[in-house]
Amino acid sequence: AAEHNIVLSGNYCGGSAFDEILSTIEAQLEKKPQLKVVILSSNKFIDQSNREKINSLTSNYSDRFQLIESPDIWIVGKKVKLSTNHSKILSIDYGQYFILGGSGIEDKYAYDDGLSGKQAPSSKETGLLHRILPRSFRDEDFVFHDEKGYEGVGGRVHLETVQLAYAWMHYNKAQEKDSVAEKILLDQAIDQPHPIVNTSIDRFHQNASINQDVETKILFTGPENTNNTFAQELITQFDQANSRIVIDHMYFHP
């Protein structure tokens, strides 16, 4: 349904699942000359088939498509740390629709019975990791619609995702300042005038039984932050709680 832009931080993208995404994006770029696409992904699972599609998209839509890679980085200081882009975010049309969650776009996460009913590759083809992990290894994901678009919380999600991609672009030194690729990315920023967005995802609105208006707060933290706003918000909420606290969180690392 995207008309203006798709900004996707996929964390781990690769395999047949990523090929499906790239094919869908290619079809949309062909139909919609105003559409621009930015993808941020680790290069860990990007295979030869993915590379061929990415190279084709980059060649055919050099002013409207870009992939920014976020490789794993080992940081040696007081401690040895592994830094990686683990954000899974999809922003459609300046954040009018956005998805936040934990699901990667790679075969062991998407199949089996995944995006189009395909079976997962056999364990003989994919090695020890695929023998250990269950199929459809998915986290929880939330789909949001923000009528305010780039003026609302969806716009904040959109902007933070663009800024994340921008940081990785220059960390990799893959693109110089004032390059075409940088311009594609900066064109997605929301601190400049944009057309009124009237995007509508029909299936989202038709499924009204599971949709309801909610108050949402989006918190962003990263290595550049001296304070952990997420931890501070948790403490604030705990202090204000009167009767019940419900926590839905994938990891606890005391």
Side-chain angles (χ1 to χ4, degrees):
E3 296 291 340
H4 299 281
N5 51 53
I6 298 169
V7 180
L8 170 65
S9 175
N11 175 214
Y12 293 132
C13 298
S16 299
F18 194 31
D19 270 350
E20 287 194 56
I21 294 290
L22 293 170
S23 295
T24 301
I25 286 173
E26 183 175 29
Q28 294 304 307
L29 287 167
E30 178 68 24
K31 289 192 299 184
K32 301 171 181 177
Q34 74 280 9
L35 182 66
K36 293 185 178 181
V37 179
V38 173
I39 300 177
L40 176 64
S41 171
S42 168
N43 55 6
K44 184 177 291 186
F45 298 110
I46 294 177
D47 61 23
Q48 183 59 37
S49 177
N50 300 152
R51 287 289 178 199
E52 291 174 2
K53 288 182 178 293
I54 290 164
N55 292 339
S56 176
L57 285 165
T58 303
S59 174
N60 295 332
Y61 304 98
S62 59
D63 60 338
R64 296 196 286 130
F65 172 86
Q66 67 182 135
L67 170 77
I68 300 170
E69 296 184 11
S70 52
D72 291 351
I73 303 167
W74 286 99
I75 301 171
V76 179
K78 293 181 179 180
K79 296 181 179 180
V80 177
K81 292 185 177 182
L82 176 63
S83 178
T84 184
N85 168 40
H86 217 269
S87 302
K88 295 95 168 178
I89 307 169
L90 172 65
S91 169
I92 298 295
D93 288 350
Y94 306 107
Q96 187 166 64
Y97 294 89
F98 60 97
I99 298 177
L100 300 176
S103 297
I105 304 172
E106 199 269 337
D107 292 359
K108 65 178 169 294
Y109 305 117
Y111 306 139
D112 130 305
D113 173 21
L115 299 178
S116 58
K118 294 182 179 179
Q119 297 296 307
S122 70
S123 58
K124 292 181 181 179
E125 296 173 327
T126 53
L128 179 61
L129 184 61
H130 286 70
R131 291 173 184 266
I132 297 171
L133 287 176
R135 298 304 91 208
S136 301
F137 185 76
R138 295 188 181 94
D139 294 340
E140 191 167 42
D141 301 277
F142 295 88
V143 184
F144 296 90
H145 170 55
D146 187 348
E147 292 182 351
K148 295 181 179 179
Y150 57 85
E151 294 179 348
V153 69
R156 174 73 190 281
V157 171
H158 176 85
L159 179 59
E160 292 286 347
T161 312
V162 170
Q163 290 178 336
L164 181 65
Y166 186 83
W168 276 101
M169 171 189 282
H170 287 291
Y171 177 83
N172 293 335
K173 298 182 174 58
Q175 304 294 342
E176 299 299 326
K177 287 186 177 296
D178 302 321
S179 66
V180 172
E182 184 185 72
K183 184 177 185 301
I184 296 173
L185 189 56
L186 293 180
D187 280 347
Q188 315 301 328
I190 61 173
D191 56 355
Q192 53 185 297
H194 288 295
I196 300 299
V197 178
N198 294 313
T199 312
S200 178
I201 299 178
D202 292 337
R203 285 178 296 176
F204 181 89
H205 296 281
Q206 289 168 0
N207 201 359
S209 62
I210 65 170
N211 298 331
Q212 58 181 327
D213 292 335
V214 295
E215 290 187 6
T216 304
K217 180 177 288 188
I218 307 295
L219 304 170
F220 292 92
T221 61
E224 71 278 9
N225 301 121
T226 55
N227 296 316
N228 189 330
T229 56
F230 176 66
Q232 292 170 344
E233 180 67 19
L234 285 179
I235 293 169
T236 298
Q237 294 295 332
F238 293 161
D239 288 344
Q240 294 176 351
N242 292 316
S243 59
R244 186 173 64 156
I245 296 172
V246 179
I247 303 173
D248 181 3
H249 199 290
M250 184 174 182
Y251 297 121
F252 282 95
H253 295 303

